[in-house]
């Protein structure tokens, strides 16, 4: 970490090269009042942003690190500190609110980094837990016991008020099955045959196999994807959408069965009426997700093309060595990152990690689009050592397309998210961030 001599105000150094060029220099503040201007300094940026840090020397050290090429040990140390600070600062701020009474903090074995106050907030409160508070509590992971309800709340599918939830669920589930009655028989019509055939082909290719090969699950996924495609003709069905059904379905069904390993969920013992409700809830939550990233799936998928370009330019600013190494070996970002954007990293990490990742994505503003960009950057740089050691185009590309994440768990995802948060904090609002 920086020495005492280097711990002076990082953002006040003049002529310092800062990643993203947040500011060129910090002029002396005038003594007389001036007309308010758009924030252009770190101090102004900080005063208008609710982040995990308060003003202080810790910020200077964390952000100064963005100007260096970080080794793995430094990244891990920083990531752990970000998570601790994020949790501690939230706790301190809530303790300072006079109207809030202390709440018990039971241990949650299902989500080590999760805030246990979620259990009470989700299951007992009516309107006392605001949407913003729920998002903050969910950022570090959601306990398994309340994850299904929390996801429905965070996605905007259910209202925060407990008294209105049952009626909303009943109404939306009824609405979904009205769509089934109205549209599903048309899957064999000539105009829809190609869409249904592609869905039918794609689903068996999904993972985990133990789930997808169950006939009931295949039928449910086919109905969900076909109805969504029919009701969204601007995009229709696009390969990649099929993967986005799985996390919602698995989370919602685990509310009704005992399953230690979510890759091996067995739906055969779930009552038919429960499966119907899960199907409807999965459809609506997936629809909410796709509403925010629909340009990823319109003709020529311009949203994904743009995000891959953003990732390339972001990595070139964060770590020039990695970016130049990929360029020198003629590896194009589209060759590996297109799938990262199209499938939201679902093909790159185990399903259990995707579920944990989505806890945070649903907590972040534009988590599945904007924040996902920084997660992808952190994910790429996580493998910096291996990337720089590889000197062959084919081997380098194969490595990036088959990253060794099979043994990953919650701790790995938490470190990844912490690093992504640091990158977002340092780069998100930098002037000319996405311009050469």
């Amino acid at each position: 970490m920086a020495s005492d001599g280097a711990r002076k105000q990082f953002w006040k150094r003049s002529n310092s090269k800062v990643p993203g060029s947040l500011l060129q220099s910090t002029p002396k503040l005038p003594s007389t009042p001036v007309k308010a201007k758009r924030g252009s300094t770190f101090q102004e940026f900080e005063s208008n942003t609710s982040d995990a840090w308060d003003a202080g020397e810790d910020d200077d050290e964390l952000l100064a690190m963005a100007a260096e090429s970080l080794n793995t040990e430094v990244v891990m140390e920083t990531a752990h500190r970000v998570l601790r600070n994020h949790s501690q600062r939230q706790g301190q701020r809530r303790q300072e609110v006079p109207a809030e009474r202390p709440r018990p903090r039971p241990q949650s074995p299902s989500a080590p980094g999760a805030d246990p106050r979620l259990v009470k907030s989700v299951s007992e409160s009516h309107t006392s837990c605001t949407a913003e508070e729920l998002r903050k509590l969910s950022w570090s992971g959601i306990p398994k016991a309340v994850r299904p309800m929390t996801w429905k709340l965070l996605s905007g599918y259910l209202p925060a008020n407990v008294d209105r939830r049952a009626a909303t669920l009943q109404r939306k589930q009824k609405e979904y099955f009205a769509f089934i009655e109205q549209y599903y028989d048309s899957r064999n019509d000539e105009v829809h045959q190609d869409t249904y055939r592609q869905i039918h082909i794609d689903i068996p290719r999904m993972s985990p196999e133990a789930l997808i090969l169950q006939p009931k699950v295949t039928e449910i996924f086919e109905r969900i994807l076909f109805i969504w495609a029919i009701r969204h003709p601007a995009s229709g069905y696009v390969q990649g959408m099929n993967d986005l059904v799985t996390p919602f379905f698995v989370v919602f069904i685990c509310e009704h069965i005992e399953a230690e390993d979510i890759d091996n969920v067995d739906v055969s013992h779930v009552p038919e009426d429960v499966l119907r409700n899960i199907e409807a809830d999965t459809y609506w939550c997936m629809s909410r997700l796709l509403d925010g990233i629909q340009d990823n799936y319109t003709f020529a998928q311009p949203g994904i093309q743009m995000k891959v370009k953003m990732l390339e330019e972001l990595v070139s600013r964060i770590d020039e060595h990695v970016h130049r190494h990929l360029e020198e070996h003629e590896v194009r970002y589209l060759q590996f990152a297109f799938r990262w954007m199209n499938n939201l990293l679902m093909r790159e990490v185990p399903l259990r990690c995707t579920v944990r990742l989505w806890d945070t994505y649903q907590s972040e503003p534009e988590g599945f689009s904007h924040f996902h960009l920084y997660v992808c950057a952190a994910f790429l740089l996580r493998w910096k050592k291996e990337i720089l050691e590889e000197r062959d185009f084919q081997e380098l590309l194969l490595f990036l397309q088959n990253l060794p994440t099979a043994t990953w768990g919650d701790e790995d995802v938490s470190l990844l998210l912490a690093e992504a948060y640091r990158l977002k904090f340092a780069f998100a609002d930098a002037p000319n961030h996405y311009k050469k």
Side-chain angles (χ1 to χ4, degrees), residues 305-322:
Q305 301 277 350
M306 179 180 65
K307 288 183 177 68
V308 171
K309 182 63 176 175
M310 286 179 171
L311 176 64
E312 181 176 355
E313 296 183 0
L314 179 58
V315 172
S316 72
R317 291 175 180 271
I318 298 170
D319 197 314
E320 187 179 356
H321 296 293
V322 169

Side-chain angles (χ1 to χ4, degrees), residues 350 352-353 356 405-414:
R352 60 184 178 273
C353 295
R356 169 64 191 90
T405 61
T407 60
W408 271 33
D410 281 357
E411 180 71 9
D412 300 283
V413 177
S414 294

Side-chain angles (χ1 to χ4, degrees), residues 12 54 150 287 295 410:
K12 292 182 180 178
D54 292 331
T150 306
S287 296
D295 63 339
D410 281 357

Side-chain angles (χ1 to χ4, degrees), residues 29-66:
L29 295 175
S31 58
T32 57
V34 295
K35 183 178 179 180
K37 297 187 295 183
R38 185 175 180 180
S40 60
T41 66
F42 172 71
Q43 288 80 10
E44 292 168 331
F45 165 73
E46 180 185 55
S47 67
N48 292 302
T49 306
S50 175
D51 280 304
W53 297 279
D54 292 331
E57 292 180 341
D58 285 346
D59 296 325
D60 296 338
E61 290 183 357
L62 285 169
L63 294 169
M65 290 169 66

Side-chain angles (χ1 to χ4, degrees), residues 304 307-308 310-312 314-315 318 322 326 333 336-346 348 357 361 367-383 387 400 403 408 416-417 419-421 423-424:
I304 291 180
K307 288 183 177 68
V308 171
M310 286 179 171
L311 176 64
E312 181 176 355
L314 179 58
V315 172
I318 298 170
V322 169
L326 295 175
Y333 284 73
F336 62 89
F338 185 92
R339 190 171 72 183
W340 297 7
M341 302 299 177
N342 194 47
N343 304 89
L344 298 176
L345 289 177
M346 283 193 60
E348 320 311 319
L357 194 65
Y361 277 10
F368 290 98
S369 54
H370 185 64
F371 188 62
H372 179 65
L373 174 67
Y374 295 93
V375 172
C376 287
F379 187 61
L380 177 63
L381 298 178
R382 162 67 176 77
W383 313 100
I387 289 171
L400 289 169
L403 292 165
W408 271 33
L416 178 69
L417 289 166
E419 176 63 2
Y421 190 88
L423 294 177
K424 178 189 172 188

